[in-house]
Amino acid sequence: TLTAEFAINQYTVSLKAENGEVFGSGVYDYGTEITISAKANEGYHFEGWSDGDMSITRNLVITSDITLSAVIAINVYDLVVNAENGIVNNVGRYEHGSVVDILAIPNAGYHFVGWSDGDSVATRTITLTSNVTLSAYFDLNVYELVLEAENGVVFGAGRYSHGTEVSIAAFATEGYHFVGWSDGETSSVRSIVVVSDTTLF
């Protein structure tokens, strides 16, 4: 009398991942239905399995040895800066954890005021852990126009924004006559465009 004995086949499930974890590796009997899953580290995201399946959690029926890798990629973020009347360098797309130096540069006649998040330093360092959108604020420069005269009166002095066109005039007191301005202009009534602090006499 003989008895034939049979044992169920067992198979190995090997799961691998870089920049993340995988769950479900082990040794299983033939025909066992198992659930496998993957989890990406912070700053990374799951893209699929090495066999093309895109489900982060999936079921497998074991009929042979299985080796799978979870495809995990680093996150990429947008650094967007809105800047009217100036520019900001180094905006773009960066990988998670990138350290980026940005600088707000005003257009001619403007000066930097601050950032939309309250920071007031034109040069700053940002560590990217998510998408970032900022605005850089710039204001027009304001200049002093000083007019001086001996033996006469002048009109038009004051504080003006960059690019303002100002009419100025000089009138001599009795017994004197107007000769010219210190910048060589000989018209007693004239217009000037203010682009810096200016003193004329």
Side-chain angles (χ1 to χ4, degrees):
T1 301
L2 295 173
T3 300
E5 297 182 353
F6 300 91
I8 194 166
N9 293 344
Q10 291 187 317
Y11 299 103
T12 299
V13 176
S14 298
L15 304 177
K16 301 176 182 178
E18 292 186 8
N19 303 309
E21 298 178 82
V22 284
F23 307 93
S25 294
V27 178
Y28 299 96
D29 290 345
Y30 175 89
T32 302
E33 184 175 359
I34 67 169
T35 300
I36 65 172
S37 61
K39 179 183 178 182
N41 291 345
E42 183 179 358
Y44 292 78
H45 62 278
F46 174 81
E47 291 194 334
W49 296 95
S50 53
D51 64 353
D53 194 291
M54 304 299 290
S55 302
I56 192 169
T57 299
R58 57 188 285 202
N59 294 329
L60 299 174
V61 176
I62 306 304
T63 58
S64 62
D65 291 331
I66 296 174
T67 299
L68 287 172
S69 296
V71 180
I72 295 176
I74 195 167
N75 294 343
V76 177
Y77 305 117
D78 290 313
L79 173 57
V80 178
V81 180
N82 302 309
E84 187 175 347
N85 302 311
I87 60 172
V88 177
N89 66 350
N90 293 336
V91 297
R93 291 175 60 79
Y94 294 93
E95 291 184 347
H96 175 86
S98 296
V99 179
V100 183
D101 293 324
I102 60 175
L103 170 63
I105 305 168
N107 291 344
Y110 289 80
H111 61 279
F112 174 75
V113 177
W115 301 94
S116 53
D117 63 355
D119 197 299
S120 59
V121 180
T123 302
R124 60 186 296 188
T125 300
I126 296 178
T127 300
L128 275 297
T129 57
S130 63
N131 292 324
V132 174
T133 299
L134 288 171
S135 294
Y137 299 131
F138 303 90
D139 274 348
L140 268 173
N141 294 340
V142 176
Y143 304 115
E144 192 79 31
L145 174 59
V146 178
L147 303 177
E148 300 175 348
E150 291 184 7
N151 303 311
V153 293
V154 285
F155 299 93
R159 291 178 58 80
Y160 298 97
S161 297
H162 176 88
T164 302
E165 185 173 358
V166 181
S167 294
I168 63 174
F171 299 99
T173 55
E174 186 177 355
Y176 291 83
H177 65 279
F178 176 81
V179 176
W181 298 93
S182 54
D183 63 354
E185 180 66 44
T186 57
S187 299
S188 62
V189 178
R190 57 185 285 206
S191 294
I192 64 170
V193 177
V194 180
V195 295
S196 64
D197 289 328
T198 302
T199 299
L200 292 172
F201 52 89

